[in-house]
Amino acid sequence: MGTEDERRFGEFVAVRRHGHVAELVLDRPKAMNAVSTEMARSIGAACAALGADRDVRVTVLTSTHARAFCVGADLKERNSLSDAELVRQRPTARAAYTGVLELPMPTIAAVHGFALGGGFELALSCDLIVADATAVVGLPEVSVGVIPGGGGTQLLPRRVGAARAAELIFTARRLEAPEAHALGLVDQLVGEAADRDEALALASRIAANSPVGLRAAKRALRLGHGLDLRAGLEVEDAAWRSVAFSGDRTEGVAAFNEKRKPEWPGE
């Protein structure tokens, strides 16, 4: 994967670089990566830095905890907040989830163990989810008197349909890896403890492609979703026009004709 280079964002988040692949690491092992206000702020800051880095072609979201990807919001902290403090905290929490969701390059979540509530919402905010055999996912928020607030009510039905999402959110039930994969809550099921390696390998394959093309394709996929076909094709045409005269397209066509690997200028 190339030389590893790590940058910390506060105590609980790191970004590691593997060539053109960035690894966004959730690193609060003592709390199974429960998302506190401080951790949410760090996720948002890390995503802002990644979004501004044109050299990153794919981002992989991982966890350092052996038995959890992320167990969701820090309910111990939440219990200590007054109503006014909770209102003030909301934009910070929301920015963590939208930070992942709005990353401009393809994103992959590497999930093992518990990915519950906000933890599963962080994974849902990625384009693809690779899960190992130990994964347990779900949105249990209604069981503690709230609702999914990190995008779950919007992202889950886009994956599995409205009725299936309603059943999963209303029952607050947890799904083990085989059922989660069968229902489409995760995209790829791998052997125990293989999620990070498999996600990084997938990211490396994706990163071999044009960075301009990857970002434009993601933009077309995201903006076109939910539109009628005619409007969606206009979104696609605008994205095509943004890459048709790029250096990457010129290089891609030349490399194809010369039967060599492209050297993407990334512009």
Side-chain angles (χ1 to χ4, degrees), residues 56 82 142 148 154-155 188 211:
V56 176
S82 68
V142 298
Q154 306 306 303
L155 294 169
Q188 189 175 336

Side-chain angles (χ1 to χ4, degrees), residues 44-69:
C47 288
L50 285 167
D53 189 341
R54 299 292 300 183
D55 202 43
V56 176
R57 297 181 188 174
V58 187
T59 295
V60 179
L61 184 58
T62 68
S63 159
T64 60
H65 195 286
R67 293 187 296 110
F69 174 73

Side-chain angles (χ1 to χ4, degrees), residues 22-36:
E23 184 181 358
L24 177 56
V25 186
L26 306 178
D27 187 25
R28 195 186 178 203
K30 291 181 181 178
M32 298 180 89
N33 289 329
V35 182
S36 62

Side-chain angles (χ1 to χ4, degrees), residues 165-265:
E167 184 259 318
L168 295 171
I169 290 170
F170 295 162
T171 61
R173 71 184 179 95
R174 301 177 178 192
L175 290 78
E176 295 188 356
E179 186 182 9
H181 184 238
L183 297 182
L185 277 75
V186 304
D187 303 300
Q188 189 175 336
L189 195 56
V190 299
E192 185 172 341
D195 53 295
R196 177 178 178 268
D197 286 347
E198 290 289 345
L200 287 171
L202 175 59
S204 184
R205 293 197 297 275
I206 293 171
N209 296 309
S210 157
V212 170
L214 289 171
R215 290 179 181 228
K218 175 163 179 170
R219 195 161 64 246
L221 283 162
R222 286 284 177 91
L223 293 178
H225 191 98
L227 300 178
D228 66 66
L229 180 59
R230 183 171 292 180
L233 290 172
E234 291 303 320
V235 167
E236 181 182 82
D237 186 63
W240 179 86
R241 289 173 187 276
S242 75
V243 300
F245 310 104
S246 67
D248 274 14
R249 187 210 58 105
T250 302
E251 168 61 9
V253 172
F256 178 84
N257 287 322
E258 294 164 20
K259 296 182 173 57
R260 59 174 175 82
K261 286 180 65 174
E263 296 287 336
W264 303 116

